[in-house]
Amino acid sequence: METFDASFLGDSLLGRLSFRPGAVPDKQALPAGRHNLGIASERDAVLIVPEGLQPGVPVPLLVMFHGAGGSADKVLPFVIDHAHQHGFLLLLPQSLFPTWDIVVGGNGPDLERLDKALHEVASRFLINPSHLGFAGFSDGGSYALSVGVTNGDIVSHVIVFSAGFMSVLQQNGAPRIFIAHGLEDEQLPIETSARPHVTKLKVAGYDVTSVEFRGPHHIEPAVVALAIDFFLEPTAQP
């Protein structure tokens, strides 16, 4: 049985992560392929490592959160080919319970496990802080949006597929945001989810890209390709 570390409190109750990119890796890099990170005895986080990563060269990291009742394997097929093609690390956490903690009762064990997973990845790879993205579908999209905006000083991009809500108690930084939603989504209608989110975020000063597609509550592969281009496009140099 997975237990929650009660010492992981304070800012974490507001959704804040302790992780910060930039640390020099102190463990051996993992070889190309799929790996369980070993941060949890149940529903461990999964890391996809592409071929050809160069030691000492910062690498993009995309964190992908599954939907309610899902798992890493449910969302992996939509993004794994992009990770291998474009050469970025792909981290897939898994919620301890049927959906993410923030959906049912506030930040807790899932945030703790996410923090551990990010620290573990950074102990083996040098992460590019200008391409560190949080993405997710449905409840996972709500989680990515909520935790991504809350930790926007470390998350550079937030990518949201068919999310229902956002819960932000503290805003930090200015991540770029991509929101996609189906016009025929009966589970989470676009009029009460994506469109209000886009309006609120733009009013708050965020750089938001919005994509509406003909379709129901699902992940549209063509839209995923647009989102990956959004994530990987060159950032402006100061």
Side-chain angles (χ1 to χ4, degrees), residues 14 26 39 43 59 62 109 114 125 127 131 168 172 212:
L14 300 176
D26 58 3
I39 58 98
R43 292 176 61 81
V59 60
L62 184 65
L114 172 60
F125 298 94
I127 296 171
H131 292 285
V168 178
N172 294 280
E212 298 182 357

Side-chain angles (χ1 to χ4, degrees), residues 29-214:
L30 296 170
R34 173 176 174 151
H35 304 273
N36 290 336
L37 283 185
I39 58 98
S41 59
E42 300 175 26
R43 292 176 61 81
D44 196 5
V46 173
L47 181 68
I48 304 299
V49 180
E51 296 275 1
L53 296 186
Q54 300 299 314
V57 177
V59 60
L61 170 64
L62 184 65
V63 183
M64 182 74 180
F65 302 97
H66 61 74
S71 65
D73 287 327
K74 288 288 184 68
V75 291
L76 183 59
F78 295 97
V79 283
I80 187 169
D81 287 346
H82 294 286
H84 287 303
Q85 178 184 351
H86 296 288
F88 61 84
L89 294 168
L90 177 60
L91 174 62
L92 300 108
Q94 302 191 87
S95 62
L96 178 58
F97 302 109
T99 192
W100 300 94
D101 52 13
I102 198 173
V103 180
V104 294
N107 295 293
D110 289 335
L111 191 73
E112 177 192 3
R113 287 151 61 102
L114 172 60
D115 215 35
K116 288 180 178 178
L118 289 168
H119 280 289
E120 179 61 23
V121 174
S123 74
R124 298 182 181 276
F125 298 94
L126 185 60
I127 296 171
N128 185 341
S130 65
H131 292 285
L132 199 175
F134 280 9
F137 168 66
S138 194
D139 277 7
S142 297
Y143 195 76
L145 183 57
S146 301
V147 179
V149 169
T150 300
N151 294 277
D153 50 344
I154 62 171
V155 176
S156 62
H157 296 73
V158 177
I159 298 170
V160 180
F161 302 109
S162 304
F165 72 94
M166 66 176 164
S167 176
V168 178
L169 300 178
Q170 185 182 100
Q171 293 175 237
N172 294 280
R176 299 183 62 210
I177 301 174
F178 180 102
I179 294 180
H181 212 100
L183 293 169
E184 286 89 38
D185 191 333
E186 296 183 355
Q187 183 172 333
L188 297 171
I190 193 170
E191 294 83 4
T192 57
S193 52
R195 288 177 178 168
H197 296 339
V198 170
T199 298
K200 291 176 183 177
L201 289 163
K202 286 184 174 180
V203 168
Y206 289 93
D207 176 4
V208 183
T209 296
S210 176
V211 175
E212 298 182 357
F213 61 91
R214 291 287 175 188

